[in-house]
Amino acid sequence: MAKSKKRKHHHDFHPQPHTAKTQKTKSAVTVAGVFFSLLGIGIAYFAAGASLPWLLAGAVAGAVGGYYFGLQIDKSFSKK
């Protein structure tokens, strides 16, 4: 059977080679910061009681520790 020259030819789909991948929106830094902050509040509560300055100090110290811990987790998982 003869081919129609007016018909459009089908082409295979080829994705663009330089498409940017979407980055994840959540990171281990945020999760670890919140978790360590709560852990710091709990330790400060058992160590010093319900004193607000000590609870805030525990939260800040825990958040700083969680930040650095989360950075290390992100670095270790980004290596391939």
Side-chain angles (χ1 to χ4, degrees):
M1 181 173 235
K3 290 184 179 179
S4 173
K5 293 183 179 182
K6 294 180 182 179
R7 186 176 61 188
K8 291 184 179 181
H9 298 287
H10 297 285
H11 295 285
D12 292 333
F13 174 74
H14 298 289
Q16 297 294 328
H18 299 292
T19 56
K21 294 183 179 179
T22 58
Q23 281 188 333
K24 59 181 181 178
T25 56
K26 294 183 181 180
S27 70
V29 175
T30 307
V31 175
V34 170
F35 177 74
F36 277 59
S37 178
L38 292 174
L39 188 66
I41 290 172
I43 291 172
Y45 179 77
F46 286 117
S51 175
L52 186 61
W54 285 109
L55 292 176
L56 290 175
V60 169
V64 169
Y67 173 77
Y68 288 113
F69 183 75
L71 280 179
Q72 289 299 320
I73 290 176
D74 280 345
K75 283 182 185 178
S76 67
F77 283 130
S78 67
K79 294 180 183 177
K80 291 185 180 180

